[in-house]
Amino acid sequence: MPPIVAAIRESRRALARLLTRIENNAAAAELAALYSFGGNAHLIGVTGAPGTGKSSLVNSMAKAYRAESKTVGILAVDPSSPFSGGAVLGDRIRMRDLHGDSGVFIRSMATRGYPGGIARTTIDMARALDAAGFDIVLIETAGAGQSEVEIASIAQTTIVVEAPGLGDDVQAIKAGILEIADILVVNKADRPGAESTVRALRAMLDFGRRAERVMHHGELMSIAAVPSGGEDSAWQTPIVQTIATNGTGVAELLTKIAEHRAYLQASGTQRLRERASLSAEIAERLRDLLLMRLIEQVGAAHLQAIVERVVARQIDPSSAAAQLLAESLQERRP
Ligand SMILES: Nc1nc2c(ncn2[C@@H]2O[C@H](COP(=O)(O)OP(=O)(O)O)[C@@H](O)[C@H]2O)c(=O)[nH]1
Ligand SMILES: [Mg+2]
């Protein structure tokens, strides 16, 4: 076992330090060493509009998992800046009852200030928690954007949280994140309007908005989900009502999460999703590496000169890129 894996399994302080290096985009060697020691945790994404009760729900879920003797790592990606304190502090207070339990590890993150980008940083941190041996890794993101979708791509189970009384619209539909839900939660079920939120969500699901990712002729494809009563093989997105502040409905949520995991494994969907997201990640990293190498080869000054020519409309951006590539290929020849 590489020393870094032994260290983060033994010491929470070593784990915290590694997460800081990941934040600073300075942990490539450690991430490479720990990768093969992951793959055991159940990665669960919890997303939804701000104020729906995600942090409260994550707190309740963590307590319920602890009651089952499962260890829990939590990544709370918070939109507030690390300097304002704001919501990060709020999360700390809400999750206070988890502190002092060595079976729980919590890390709050801001959404800005990561050299590697928020999605990349979160994914790398989740891998570190996985390798550190946590049974469950909960990733809370405030939903409304590409980074949630990217983060959801590594979560095995994505929970989209909705709450009544945030206006007439169903927030998840507005944010366009309903499609990534494996399980829908209507939290704040103690508030008026919960039933009508459930009905609105169920109607959306019955319209077949949810896309199921399936294997077809050896390709991972996204198709419209079969309407209820259709193929047994398709996962029917359940809607669970919860009251995060007192734990009502959380046991049922955990049951649905376990059922989803069993479905992922039995249907082979887990492997397919993993393969699709890893091949996308490799392509992205390859693009970055090639770009860096190319810029190194042609030189920053030359690149700048070409940019100036594009600015002066002497050459178009696409031809400029093609010219840079051609030059770098020529230089590589003996
Ligand atoms: N009435 C009620 N309030 C809740 C419930 N869950 C969370 N809250 C409250 O809603 C507010 C926002 O919760 P928080 O967990 O920070 O939401 P987040 O922004 O989605 O992480 C807090 O004041 C919580 O106490 C619930 O089930 N019922
Ligand atoms: Mg929160």
Side-chain angles (χ1 to χ4, degrees), residues 296-299 302 326-334:
E296 232 165 68
Q297 260 174 2
V298 301
H302 183 55
E327 286 169 2
S328 100
L329 289 177
Q330 258 164 17
E331 269 174 44
R332 207 172 303 169
R333 284 200 199 99

Side-chain angles (χ1 to χ4, degrees), residues 47-54 141-145 148 159-181 184-188 193 196-198 200-201 204 209:
T47 189
T52 49
K54 297 176 300 298
T141 54
E148 280 67 46
I159 298 169
V160 172
V161 184
E162 192 63 47
L166 292 174
D168 293 335
D169 299 321
V170 174
Q171 300 295 312
I173 297 169
K174 220 162 76 177
I177 52 170
L178 201 59
E179 289 82 356
I180 64 172
L184 282 167
V185 165
V186 175
N187 186 44
K188 305 196 186 183
S196 72
T197 303
V198 170
L201 288 171
M204 294 308 306
R209 273 194 56 143

Side-chain angles (χ1 to χ4, degrees), residues 55 78 91 140:
S55 296
D78 203 290
D91 282 348
E140 176 193 342

Side-chain angles (χ1 to χ4, degrees), residues 101-146:
D101 177 351
S102 65
V104 179
F105 182 93
I106 305 171
R107 180 77 168 214
S108 283
M109 302 163 66
T111 45
R112 263 172 267 278
Y114 302 104
I118 182 64
R120 180 79 274 133
T121 304
T122 309
I123 290 167
D124 286 341
M125 283 190 172
R127 283 190 180 141
L129 293 178
D130 185 358
F134 290 98
D135 299 313
I136 304 288
V137 175
L138 295 168
I139 308 168
E140 176 193 342
T141 54
Q146 183 55 34

Side-chain angles (χ1 to χ4, degrees), residues 294 303 306-307 309-311 313-327:
L294 187 138
L303 180 65
I306 294 220
V307 171
R309 291 183 56 211
V310 176
V311 171
R313 298 197 178 262
Q314 293 163 353
I315 180 173
D316 73 288
S318 171
S319 306
Q323 187 186 320
L324 285 169
L325 178 64
E327 286 169 2

Side-chain angles (χ1 to χ4, degrees), residues 6 9-10 13 31 51 74 78 87 98 112 124 144 187 238 242 285 293 296 307 317 327:
R9 287 185 180 179
E10 256 163 47
R13 186 167 294 187
L31 285 165
I74 299 172
D78 203 290
L98 295 172
R112 263 172 267 278
D124 286 341
N187 186 44
T242 60
R285 289 184 182 278
R293 182 162 302 176
E296 232 165 68
V307 171
E327 286 169 2

